[in-house]
Amino acid sequence: MMEVRKGKVESYIQEGLENGKLHFVLLDPDDVDPETAGKIAEMSEEIGVDAIMVGGSTGAEGEVLDNVVRAIKENSDLPVILFPGSHGGISRYADAIFFMSLLNSRNPFFITGAQALGAFQVKRYGIEPIPMAYLIIEPGETVGWVGDAKPIPRHKPKIAAAYALAGQYLGMRLVYLEAGSGAEKPVPREMIGIVKRVIDVPLIVGGGIRTGEQAREIVKAGADIVVTGTAVEKAGSLERARTKLEELNRGIKS
Ligand code: 1GP
């Protein structure tokens, strides 16, 4: 894809989607050191990944977060999009932030509270905010627990669709279905299909996607953007991370 200009990450995503499906790699600063993050980002760019997301539910804050974002920026031209667990997950070195609301949280802090606490910082640093509806699907894993979500049952796709459409009507320009990082199984295909049929904004799906075949199925079901994290982060070596990235990217794009 083309180079991204500052403040243009959302249009980069939109233009990318005109030509096909996108693959975003999530790096959690609590799990990867800056050097490894830089190398994975460099590899990701070579392989054809479209953006790097940085964030996590625990410990992805302050200097630890800044150092990972800087290492990624130094080693690749891919846009870096923050994926914050709260207002602590903001780094001045990032290009954009998924300004997300965990719509099915029971705790207003994760729906509007953290957003209010972080808003001035986003403005001060000139980070591009991209409004996004964030929905936790069973099992939800750490983010479901930390975010005090009432995870949407896997066999209730219409509940997910209703929340997704509400998100769109509230003005959010992306919808993210999240099974939780490291989930045993990704979001069910039927749920992805029903949500996709109902909304008009791009659909992001992540959590538990480990193989190229799973990624292909997720795209076939209707996802526009696929997020992979654990499969790459925990590959065991950089060489294996490259092989895994290639496999996942092929699944998404072919
Ligand atoms: C988590 O959806 C992302 O927020 C990625 O999940 O780590 O399971 O790939 P995985």
Side-chain angles (χ1 to χ4, degrees), residues 10-24:
E10 190 176 358
S11 43
Y12 162 87
I13 293 172
Q14 282 161 352
E15 284 163 32
L17 286 172
E18 283 168 21
N19 301 314
K21 306 297 177 182
L22 304 184
H23 181 193
F24 292 0

Side-chain angles (χ1 to χ4, degrees), residues 41-62:
E42 189 181 354
M43 250 186 234
S44 299
E45 186 171 15
E46 285 163 11
I47 288 165
V49 167
D50 303 285
I52 305 290
M53 287 162 53
V54 181
S57 309
T58 53
E61 299 186 3

Side-chain angles (χ1 to χ4, degrees), residues 87-238:
H87 58 293
I90 299 171
S91 168
R92 68 172 79 214
Y93 304 105
D95 301 298
I97 181 166
F98 281 142
F99 207 85
M100 50 212 256
S101 178
L102 207 178
L103 291 182
N104 60 325
S105 177
R106 298 176 175 96
N107 183 342
F109 175 78
F110 294 102
I111 305 171
T112 53
Q115 293 76 356
L117 295 180
F120 282 148
Q121 228 179 336
V122 169
K123 189 175 174 74
R124 190 176 323 124
Y125 294 154
I127 306 167
E128 179 185 350
I130 304 175
M132 180 167 86
Y134 190 48
L135 301 176
I136 306 290
I137 315 303
E138 280 179 344
E141 300 297 321
T142 305
V143 66
W145 192 88
V146 173
D148 201 2
K150 196 161 93 178
I152 298 174
R154 295 175 65 82
H155 64 289
K156 292 288 178 194
K158 276 172 78 179
I159 299 180
Y163 268 95
L165 188 60
Q168 178 185 319
Y169 288 166
L170 283 164
M172 292 152 183
R173 297 196 288 266
L174 293 170
V175 168
Y176 192 132
L177 298 181
E178 170 73 273
S181 187
E184 201 187 321
K185 284 186 280 183
V187 175
R189 278 175 288 173
E190 191 198 358
M191 184 179 278
I192 296 169
I194 291 177
V195 170
K196 178 64 186 168
R197 280 202 293 283
V198 166
I199 59 172
D200 307 299
V201 297
L203 177 60
I204 309 185
V205 177
I209 302 165
R210 290 188 178 76
T211 67
E213 193 44 44
Q214 281 175 323
R216 185 174 292 114
E217 293 294 324
I218 298 279
V219 162
K220 245 177 40 194
D224 298 297
I225 302 169
V226 176
V227 180
T228 63
T230 307
V232 180
E233 276 181 348
K234 304 258 161 83
S237 68
L238 282 169

